[in-house]
Amino acid sequence: ARRMAAGEVVRAADVRLVRVPASRLRAGAAQEAGQVVGQALRRPAAADQPLLLADLAAATAVERGQTVVMLYETPGLALTAQGRALEAAPRGGSVPVMNLASRTVVEAVVVAPGRVRVGAAR
């Protein structure tokens, strides 16, 4: 519905469904709003043009180098610490995080922008 820059996250207001003949539809074009809403653009998109699924990626909730809150929870205990994400990751994605106090690198799961959950050591 509007021109969008690379990296922007597509919102419902940014998408408009339009009927087009199958012969004019490019291979790999999104066919439902649910396929694109919440996704980030890998390259700029022009207004009134179909969005290609190959041009979309999961929106990043944690950026590489970002300071994050690390959560560790067990029954009866909840701990938090500051960490630094060593890679970018979407919500639900796995990311290595360095604990800023101990300099230990642990694997965590992104639960929200700037927040990761660390599992119990085994």
Side-chain angles (χ1 to χ4, degrees):
R2 68 178 179 91
R3 180 183 162 112
M4 297 182 71
E8 279 191 76
V9 176
V10 180
R11 297 172 305 166
D14 298 326
V15 179
R16 183 173 51 231
L17 295 176
V18 178
R19 288 188 173 270
V20 296
S23 61
R24 290 189 48 216
L25 189 61
R26 291 180 60 185
Q31 297 182 21
E32 298 176 6
Q35 292 178 292
V36 299
V37 173
Q39 298 287 313
L41 293 172
R42 290 184 177 167
R43 65 185 91 233
D48 299 322
Q49 295 296 313
L51 291 172
L52 302 178
L53 296 176
D55 292 342
L56 302 168
T60 304
V62 170
E63 297 292 335
R64 182 177 188 263
Q66 178 181 353
T67 300
V68 296
V69 175
M70 301 167 50
L71 308 167
Y72 177 85
E73 297 174 322
T74 61
L77 177 69
L79 301 172
T80 63
Q82 294 292 311
R84 182 162 323 281
L86 301 179
E87 297 175 7
R91 186 180 303 234
S94 182
V95 62
V97 177
M98 180 177 56
N99 182 316
L100 295 179
S102 69
R103 302 298 225 201
T104 302
V105 175
V106 296
E107 200 67 25
V109 175
V110 178
V111 294
R115 296 178 73 82
V116 298
R117 176 168 283 121
V118 179
R122 292 186 180 159

